[in-house]
Amino acid sequence: MKAQFIHLDSFSNINQSIFDALVNAWPELLPMAINAQNTVRLNRRRTPYTLGKVFLRKGWAGINSFDSYKQSLLGEPFFFKRISSIVQEKIKKENPIFTLQTQSLFDFRVIGIPHFIYTDSTHLADQYWNPKAKQNNKEWIALETQLYHNATKIFVMSSHIQQSLIEQYGIAEQKIAMVGAGSNLNEPSNPKREDSYDSKKILFVGVEWERKGGSELWAAFQNILKYHPDAELIILGCSPPIHHPQVTIVGKADKASVGKYYQEAAVFCMPSRLEPFGIVYLEAMQHGLAIVGSDEGACIDLILDDESGYRIPLGDIKYLTEKLNYLLSLPKLCAKMGQRGRIMYENFYTWDFTAKKMKDIIQKYL
């Protein structure tokens, strides 16, 4: 059975993970992958036109770097329509029994073919984190809304995105299925050592320091040193301008080497200001770590407050300090919470579990 899997680049390694899990769960399936990023590159001949469009809408801020230009394109209605149309033509030629796209940045549905979406976020969900956030691009929101209504079924990673689809986009609850996600790291080769919970190492893993709550963690860590002068902060994924003897900045690290930092840490902390899901929370659960995160978004599903970790109100550095200080003082509690999180991970948050739920639902529409 031919099926079409459409994605945009790696999606934080999620695309390859769910693709492989679906192949394992569905041996008779022959999924073909289309990377829409390649279609984006093929349209570079239209660069002067697209630059002009972005500049008219967002000014110099929209084109002053490659990252800002790329981000601006993903919110442009003309770009949404153009890429959607090109990929749809490719799908028609293959005539698969169904299509599955990850993320909701384009609409790859072809009329007559069951179409499924797997996403960790919506555009309007930001308003849950910041009620003052304004969405000025009404045309793009209308396209995104139509995308959800066009889908046969929408798979989401967490309950707050399910809530967003229902409340902010008017999607019927029965059209949505929460299927979770999994860790992109291999299983640890050795059990986590008990003495690692005595290490007083706080681990942060995130590419965007500010958005992931890094500044709040750094402020809390400076307070923690008053009570635990031997505490350490390990930062993976980014390189903030911090120079301190008890702060280790690893920066970007390959997947093969990330596991050892989870194995050596006492607690994991990423108090994100805005987080669609946060695969790193699952990685921490996988490695038996207590988690300290925000009290918004997917953390409501992932962190059992006072059982597998603590959820912190956004920006509350005092409470963040208090909970981290408490955990570092009680390594046995860190171990107990980490074990609770590991059980959650094994039972609900693996790619095999997610793929099986997707398969069971998709089969009903074939």
Side-chain angles (χ1 to χ4, degrees):
M1 296 190 300
K2 290 197 302 183
Q4 195 74 68
F5 179 81
I6 316 107
H7 62 96
L8 186 70
D9 249 357
S10 72
F11 187 20
S12 301
N13 297 313
I14 290 169
N15 286 321
Q16 191 62 54
S17 295
I18 191 58
F19 182 87
D20 291 343
L22 279 169
V23 170
N24 291 334
W26 212 337
E28 64 270 34
L29 198 66
L30 297 173
M32 305 166 291
I34 292 178
N35 186 351
Q37 184 68 30
N38 296 331
T39 303
V40 172
R41 294 190 185 103
L42 288 173
N43 275 264
R44 282 178 178 169
R45 66 182 183 275
R46 296 170 60 88
T47 295
Y49 174 77
T50 55
L51 278 170
K53 280 279 192 178
V54 172
F55 182 77
L56 286 174
R57 187 182 293 275
K58 295 196 173 182
W60 177 248
I63 61 173
N64 65 0
S65 72
F66 176 75
D67 286 341
S68 62
Y69 174 55
K70 182 179 177 182
Q71 202 60 38
S72 296
L73 281 179
L74 294 178
E76 287 295 327
F78 78 93
F79 196 66
F80 182 107
K81 296 174 184 176
R82 175 70 178 164
I83 301 303
S84 297
S85 176
I86 292 172
V87 174
Q88 285 166 358
E89 289 303 313
K90 292 182 179 181
I91 293 170
K92 288 177 184 178
K93 292 178 182 179
E94 296 293 343
N95 194 30
I97 61 168
F98 73 88
T99 51
L100 170 65
Q101 75 173 71
T102 56
Q103 299 177 280
S104 47
L105 300 169
F106 303 102
D107 188 352
F108 299 133
R109 179 194 67 125
V110 172
I111 295 174
I113 299 175
H115 181 62
F116 303 88
I117 299 170
Y118 178 48
T119 188
D120 68 334
S121 63
T122 68
H123 207 65
L124 293 177
D126 290 2
Q127 293 179 347
Y128 288 134
W129 299 79
N130 179 12
K132 296 181 180 180
K134 293 182 179 180
Q135 303 296 339
N136 297 320
N137 199 336
K138 294 182 179 179
E139 185 183 352
W140 199 95
I141 296 298
L143 289 169
E144 184 193 13
T145 302
Q146 191 60 48
L147 154 75
Y148 297 132
H149 283 281
N150 286 343
T152 304
K153 195 84 173 183
I154 307 165
F155 299 123
V156 296
M157 294 186 184
S158 60
S159 62
H160 85 290
I161 295 304
Q162 182 178 38
Q163 178 186 359
S164 171
L165 288 167
I166 295 169
E167 294 179 351
Q168 298 174 313
Y169 293 88
I171 305 299
E173 185 175 356
Q174 60 267 29
K175 196 170 187 175
I176 309 163
M178 193 171 81
V179 297
S183 167
N184 294 320
L185 299 181
N186 294 328
E187 279 297 303
S189 55
N190 297 306
K192 187 172 176 64
R193 298 196 319 270
E194 287 296 320
D195 61 358
S196 66
Y197 297 107
D198 295 303
S199 69
K200 296 191 179 182
K201 290 182 178 180
I202 301 170
L203 177 63
F204 170 95
V205 182
V207 176
E208 299 175 61
W209 175 249
E210 293 296 332
R211 181 170 76 82
K212 304 282 186 175
S215 293
E216 288 84 350
L217 174 56
W218 169 230
F221 182 72
Q222 293 174 82
N223 294 331
I224 287 165
L225 289 175
K226 300 172 186 176
Y227 308 98
H228 300 279
D230 53 345
E232 296 180 56
L233 175 60
I234 315 298
I235 300 171
L236 262 70
C238 57
S239 301
I242 296 174
H243 303 282
H244 192 281
Q246 282 159 259
V247 177
T248 300
I249 298 177
V250 179
K252 291 185 178 180
D254 59 86
K255 283 173 62 177
S257 63
V258 169
K260 79 180 187 74
Y261 293 100
Y262 283 105
Q263 288 290 77
E264 295 170 358
V267 63
F268 178 83
C269 182
M270 191 178 77
S272 281
R273 300 175 186 175
L274 173 62
E275 189 63 57
F277 186 77
I279 294 293
V280 292
Y281 294 123
L282 300 186
E283 294 173 0
M285 292 160 66
Q286 178 187 20
H287 290 82
L289 285 174
I291 301 172
V292 179
S294 306
D295 65 349
E296 302 273 351
C299 286
I300 295 172
D301 299 327
L302 301 177
I303 305 173
L304 297 180
D305 200 36
D306 208 24
E307 290 188 45
S308 65
Y310 295 107
R311 299 200 299 262
I312 309 296
L314 289 180
D316 194 333
I317 295 172
K318 181 180 178 181
Y319 192 58
L320 179 60
T321 302
E322 176 186 323
K323 291 306 179 185
L324 286 173
N325 179 43
Y326 184 60
L327 286 170
L328 293 185
S329 301
L330 298 167
K332 289 185 178 179
L333 178 61
C334 288
K336 182 180 178 181
M337 286 186 162
Q339 289 163 7
R340 182 71 180 87
R342 173 70 193 189
I343 292 170
M344 284 180 61
Y345 164 79
E346 290 175 345
N347 291 336
F348 303 108
Y349 291 106
T350 66
W351 288 119
D352 288 340
F353 184 77
T354 295
K356 185 181 184 306
K357 290 181 76 172
M358 282 186 174
K359 175 189 173 183
D360 292 344
I361 292 171
I362 290 172
Q363 282 183 316
K364 296 176 183 177
Y365 295 91
L366 303 184

